[in-house]
Amino acid sequence: MGARVGGVVPDEGPAGWVAGFELTPEDTVASLLARWDVVAGRTEQVVRAEPDLGRPVPLSAETRQYVAADVEPTVRWVLLHLVEELARHAGHADVVRETVDGKGAQELAQP
């Protein structure tokens, strides 16, 4: 696989996406927190440079399948979704819950 960029292996399809969630022998708490700081800084740069939070954001067909049909994402929507995802995964200890009940995010999202 190629080199990881921000936790993701670019141009490697689903395998690259999964690789972004796997720890390597080089990963330490310090290195992961340092990566978090880099990504947070880059996110802040992008947000500050955006002149219109209401600007529509086109989604690929692959991504669109995970967004409700009646939602037309804007920059603001993407940012709020980012906050929602961080809160969901950091605040609820998904790893522990999934270990106990064996249910992933997709199963929990089913009505």
Side-chain angles (χ1 to χ4, degrees):
M1 292 217 164
R4 291 193 319 182
V5 176
V8 175
V9 180
D11 302 323
E12 293 287 341
W17 183 80
V18 169
F21 292 94
E22 296 172 350
L23 295 176
T24 68
E26 294 80 29
D27 288 326
T28 65
V29 171
S31 71
L32 295 172
L33 288 174
R35 186 181 320 154
W36 176 275
D37 286 340
V38 169
V39 172
R42 179 66 181 128
T43 301
E44 184 175 348
Q45 288 175 342
V46 169
V47 172
R48 287 182 182 276
E50 177 57 55
D52 180 9
L53 295 180
R55 178 177 60 81
V57 175
L59 301 178
S60 68
E62 182 179 12
T63 301
R64 185 73 217 186
Q65 68 181 326
Y66 299 109
V67 177
D70 63 338
V71 171
E72 290 303 325
T74 62
V75 173
R76 180 178 290 104
W77 182 90
V78 171
L79 291 173
L80 290 172
H81 183 69
L82 176 62
V83 170
E84 175 189 30
E85 285 294 307
L86 288 171
R88 175 182 296 127
H89 295 291
H92 293 150
D94 280 346
V95 173
V96 174
R97 184 204 36 79
E98 288 177 13
T99 301
V100 172
D101 68 16
K103 292 182 179 178
Q106 294 296 330
E107 294 166 295
L108 294 174
Q110 300 301 317

